[in-house]
Amino acid sequence: MPKATFKIIHRKFPIPRNHMKYFFLFFILIFITEVTYPQNGDILIQFDKPANSSVESLPIGNGRLGAMIFGNTKKERIALNEISLWSGGPQDADRDSAWRYLKPIQNLLLEGKNQQAQELLQKHFVAKGPGSGNGNGALDKYGCYQTMGDLFISWKDSVTPVTHYIRTLNIEKASALTRFIRKNITYTEEAFSDFVNDITWIKFSSSKKNRINISLTLYRKENVNIRADKNRLIMVGQLPSGKDKGMKFATVAKVVLRDGSLRKYGNQININNSTECWIKISSATNYDYAKGGLSDADVLKKALTCLAKTKSLSFSKARQKSTSAYLTEFNRCRWKMPVTNQLPTLTTNQRLIKYHEGKPDNQLPVLYLNFGRYLLISSSRPGLLPANLQGLWATQYQTPWNGDYHLNINLQMNYWPAEVTNLGSIGQPLFQFTSHLVFKGEKTAWDYYHAKGWVAHVISNPWFYTSPGESAEWGSTLTGGAWLCTQLWEHFRFTRDTGFLRIYYPVIKGAAQFLQSILIREPQHGWLVTAPSNSPENAYVMPDGFIGNTCMGPTMDMQICRDLFNACISASSTLNKDPEWRMGLQDTVKQLAPDQIGARGDLNEWLNDWKDADPHHRHISHLFGLYPYDEISVIKTPALAAAAKETLIQRGDAGTGWSMAWKINFWARLHDGEHAIRLFKELLNPVIENDETKSGGGTYPNLFCAHPPFQIDGNFGGTAGLAEMLLQSDDSSIVLLPALPKEWPSGNITGLCARGGFEVSMQWNDGKLISYSILSKAGRNCTIQYHGKSILLKTYKGEFYKSTIKDFEKET
């Protein structure tokens, strides 16, 4: 792609702010009328039978509350969640004398004695105590994310077979539906989590009067008391915090009858001869979001207060308002693709199977992107905790890996689609969480490194854990907090919001100060490197045969250092702060160990060109510089891009769910749409829970990502990858359709976001761009690139620019 640019000003349409939404609506309507699209193939997840497990359930949520609808016609199960419900509590897991062993460990590394360094680190430089409990910390201080419990609804007539069963999640309405016929009567169950009133609603209705006969019970296997009180089921409990008492919680399920009768029987409520009834579910904990601890709040009172606010509100009115609130986020970005196969009668799992067999289904990638955005909106609400490894959907009391916040990719991946798919405001919980790590992270930085600034290592939780993990094999990665800070910087790059930057500048500065403080000079080249550290969860093989993890200067660390240091240099200049520190940082950047190409043509993962203990390891951390960072580029650094490609070839396509999702983004950045779509199809490999005949990652029947087990970061990484195939950007340029595969010949998308403060919409046909439009939110100039040609776009804040492929055809 040539570097030359052309000063062509596109047609400009100044729009008053309050009219912008109508302009985009008009633009969307133009697109939709040009091609006929199916009504539901891109917004509906569909089943023809009840769920046998959570990965066949339908997830609903509002950012705080979650539920999974199983749709059983005998004994319905609705699994309940609240995003802050954790066992454990605040702890001091730092070894306050660890810093005394820092220099000895570093010296051993400098001498090439990695085995002795790792042994010393394991003895004195890991977490104090059990740490995360090896990923099973429910009964430790670290704790784990847990289910709130279940609401069970038993049908009185559970013997008569049902027909015409259907269960759907409508992503456009954020609502789940179960419908079946029994004895010529149609029964309907509808459910949604209320984005306005902060409760979960369930509605049962029958096609004939007085035919609903069901009983309701709340269930949790431990740490709880349950009772029935008139028309309410009440559950109150308290989780353990190690050997102490921890978080309090409450759930109230209130029944509202339109007709029929209600009777309390023990801890159960029976509904008889009803035509329509509602169940309103409210949950609360005493988690203190401001302090990361526990408050003295009356959790039952909190739960009842939310219910009281809906006293005079009907199900239909509440759903209407909730859907409207949800759509203000969801409709910011919409992708449309033409029909490639008529699929009205297929379940989603049947579509997955056919897609994996090679049958065309261009609605499926659109559905996947829509579902990923739905999940993020439904599990991340400003002011609350960020989405965890489960999003917020879990049925376990000991969730896999504690359902926590892994900082060596997983939490960050959860928010990869936020900026590019126009959900930047949904990222606020991640930003807030990062800032809350600073206080404990400063103590950890001092106790282990005697360093300035703050650090967070590999894992964290709602108690803002920043200590290393409990094992030298994985727990010493020291760039977790720094990686989070690069996502703060990414938000600024996308929005150019200096108010945001001013608030979070101290956070990113503190993370940079820590890294700057702990750098040492390696002896062979005199480069500055981190030490001790890990390349996340991977191991190297030294020439003497030692297989180890503890190292200095792993490539990912150095890439994160460059990313964060350069962000701080730009931020301090933008805000006119810390000029002397900025100059010192500029000098430090020049001395960092660079990316290195190894003897096999791949990018080195380690400071030395050592072999990988597992050549096909799921983590490809040394390609952080390709994605999400952009220091490796097919345009600007072709040699490094070629080495990155060779790295991916050597690693192979197979992997866990989230690993394949990351690879989609890598291949998109390499402008290889065919390989990216191949990886996407592998990501959608159908997986049945506990099916031991299949290994590796894929997708469960309800589109949850299979690590396995379920881990939501793969959903979000895959969503980001699809967007990356359609649009890429840096601070000065926007690339249109950089990795468009042949099987997406026609389509359109509205509302993608580009760095520099731009919203981009595009239409293409026969594999070629037809038209595009850009809204400039910051008034910056940028270069628009398409198929090797460039156009310079000069913009003004708040203006809308529309153009066609003809502008590129003018250029040579």
Side-chain angles (χ1 to χ4, degrees), residues 391-421:
L392 54 64
W393 295 279
T395 57
Q396 302 96 329
Y397 298 85
Q398 173 59 69
T399 41
W401 300 283
N402 295 317
D404 70 359
Y405 300 108
H406 271 47
L407 309 184
N408 59 1
I409 187 174
N410 312 94
L411 175 57
Q412 292 89 341
M413 184 182 280
N414 281 2
Y415 287 86
W416 282 356
E419 303 296 342
V420 69
T421 70

Side-chain angles (χ1 to χ4, degrees), residues 64-65 82 148 197-200 218 232-236 248-254 280-286 297-310:
R64 185 179 74 86
L65 301 175
E82 205 276 0
M148 177 65 74
N197 299 291
D198 209 13
I199 65 170
T200 297
L218 280 173
R232 302 179 305 190
L233 294 172
I234 298 173
M235 177 169 68
V236 179
K248 297 177 180 179
F249 62 93
T251 289
V252 180
K254 181 178 181 179
K280 299 191 287 186
I281 309 167
S282 179
S283 298
T285 75
N286 66 330
D298 184 329
V299 291
L300 179 56
K301 184 177 180 181
K302 285 177 67 176
L304 291 171
T305 298
C306 287
L307 286 176
K309 293 177 181 178
T310 65

Side-chain angles (χ1 to χ4, degrees), residues 556-808:
M556 188 188 78
D557 274 14
M558 308 321 299
Q559 292 171 344
I560 289 177
C561 283
R562 274 190 293 278
D563 191 2
L564 184 61
F565 289 176
N566 285 322
C568 287
I569 291 166
S570 296
S572 73
S573 178
T574 299
L575 299 175
N576 195 25
K577 289 177 174 288
D578 303 317
E580 292 184 6
W581 181 62
R582 184 195 320 150
M583 291 178 63
L585 208 53
Q586 289 171 330
D587 183 60
T588 300
V589 169
K590 298 174 185 177
Q591 302 178 63
L592 296 174
D595 294 324
Q596 301 178 78
I597 299 174
R600 299 178 63 196
D602 59 335
L603 197 70
N604 284 353
E605 182 165 0
W606 322 96
L607 188 61
N608 302 94
D609 192 9
W610 291 334
K611 293 181 180 179
D612 298 322
D614 178 2
H616 306 295
H617 198 271
R618 62 192 177 278
H619 281 267
I620 318 102
S621 304
H622 47 314
L623 295 194
F624 172 91
L626 177 62
Y627 186 93
Y629 188 28
D630 54 12
E631 76 171 7
I632 299 175
S633 161
V634 293
I635 306 300
K636 299 176 181 178
T637 59
L640 289 176
K645 181 176 181 179
E646 180 60 29
T647 299
L648 290 170
I649 291 171
Q650 292 179 20
R651 280 289 164 97
D653 290 345
T656 59
W658 64 262
S659 179
M660 289 190 289
W662 198 1
K663 291 172 186 174
I664 296 170
N665 288 275
F666 288 145
W667 285 106
R669 280 282 171 93
L670 293 172
H671 293 185
D672 191 335
E674 299 312 313
H675 207 128
I677 193 66
R678 189 193 316 167
L679 257 302
F680 177 71
K681 289 180 177 180
E682 288 303 313
L683 178 62
L684 266 62
N685 174 35
V687 176
I688 305 299
E689 190 176 38
N690 299 324
D691 182 356
E692 296 181 1
T693 64
K694 292 185 177 181
S695 61
T699 297
Y700 290 118
N702 66 352
L703 295 190
F704 272 171
C705 185
H707 178 284
F710 164 53
Q711 197 169 294
I712 204 167
D713 44 10
N715 286 101
F716 295 135
T719 300
L722 293 172
E724 201 72 20
M725 293 168 72
L726 299 175
L727 184 77
Q728 295 175 23
S729 64
D730 57 28
D731 291 325
S732 60
S733 63
I734 299 172
V735 186
L736 306 178
L737 304 179
L740 186 71
K742 292 178 182 178
E743 63 185 69
W744 297 350
S746 303
N748 69 72
I749 192 162
T750 61
L752 286 176
C753 290
R755 294 165 183 84
F758 300 100
E759 281 190 23
V760 182
S761 299
M762 296 176 286
Q763 184 181 9
W764 62 95
N765 195 23
D766 293 330
K768 296 180 181 179
L769 181 71
I770 294 176
S771 62
Y772 66 94
S773 65
I774 294 178
L775 171 66
S776 175
K777 294 181 176 180
R780 292 168 60 87
N781 297 337
C782 69
T783 299
I784 312 297
Q785 299 178 357
Y786 175 70
H787 279 200
K789 297 180 181 181
S790 304
I791 296 173
L792 179 63
L793 179 66
K794 293 184 176 180
T795 78
Y796 297 90
K797 186 176 182 179
E799 288 194 342
F800 180 87
Y801 301 80
K802 188 176 186 297
S803 193
T804 68
I805 186 60
K806 293 181 179 179
D807 287 329
F808 288 103

Side-chain angles (χ1 to χ4, degrees), residues 134-256:
N134 293 313
N136 292 282
L139 301 179
D140 296 323
K141 268 293 186 182
Y142 187 87
C144 84
Y145 181 63
Q146 297 195 5
T147 176
M148 177 65 74
D150 297 283
L151 174 66
F152 286 110
I153 300 121
S154 299
W155 290 87
K156 185 176 182 180
D157 182 358
S158 61
V159 177
T160 305
V162 304
T163 61
H164 298 83
Y165 182 96
I166 188 170
R167 184 164 52 92
T168 61
L169 176 67
N170 189 313
I171 294 170
E172 197 170 50
K173 296 180 179 178
S175 179
L177 178 143
T178 303
R179 180 173 289 143
F180 57 89
I181 295 176
R182 178 182 276 145
K183 290 183 177 178
N184 295 320
I185 301 168
T186 301
Y187 293 96
T188 304
E189 173 190 346
E190 300 166 79
F192 71 97
S193 288
D194 197 326
F195 283 87
V196 177
N197 299 291
D198 209 13
I199 65 170
T200 297
W201 296 73
I202 314 293
K203 173 185 171 182
F204 286 92
S205 59
S206 62
S207 60
K208 295 183 180 180
K209 290 183 67 65
N210 310 123
R211 298 304 177 94
I212 296 175
N213 294 281
I214 53 179
S215 62
L216 280 60
T217 56
L218 280 173
Y219 170 79
R220 197 177 198 278
K221 76 172 186 179
E222 60 190 25
N223 302 309
V224 74
N225 291 306
I226 298 172
R227 70 181 191 273
D229 178 20
K230 298 180 180 178
N231 64 338
R232 302 179 305 190
L233 294 172
I234 298 173
M235 177 169 68
V236 179
Q238 187 170 20
L239 299 182
S241 177
K243 296 180 180 179
D244 305 317
K245 290 188 177 296
M247 184 178 293
K248 297 177 180 179
F249 62 93
T251 289
V252 180
K254 181 178 181 179
V255 178
V256 178

Side-chain angles (χ1 to χ4, degrees), residues 104-123:
I105 292 170
Q106 290 176 335
N107 288 336
L108 287 169
L109 290 171
L110 290 169
E111 294 168 10
K113 299 176 180 178
N114 288 44
Q115 182 172 358
Q116 294 94 318
Q118 185 159 320
E119 290 170 354
L120 186 60
L121 187 148
Q122 181 64 54
K123 289 180 181 179

Side-chain angles (χ1 to χ4, degrees), residues 516-580:
Q516 197 176 16
S517 296
I518 60 99
L519 293 172
I520 62 173
R521 202 170 293 279
E522 56 84 32
Q524 186 173 355
H525 304 93
W527 295 328
L528 293 176
V529 296
T530 56
S533 192
N534 302 135
S535 187
E537 301 179 36
N538 202 0
Y540 52 79
V541 181
M542 293 183 71
D544 64 3
F546 171 65
I547 299 175
N549 310 90
T550 301
C551 64
M552 59 181 178
T555 297
M556 188 188 78
D557 274 14
M558 308 321 299
Q559 292 171 344
I560 289 177
C561 283
R562 274 190 293 278
D563 191 2
L564 184 61
F565 289 176
N566 285 322
C568 287
I569 291 166
S570 296
S572 73
S573 178
T574 299
L575 299 175
N576 195 25
K577 289 177 174 288
D578 303 317
E580 292 184 6

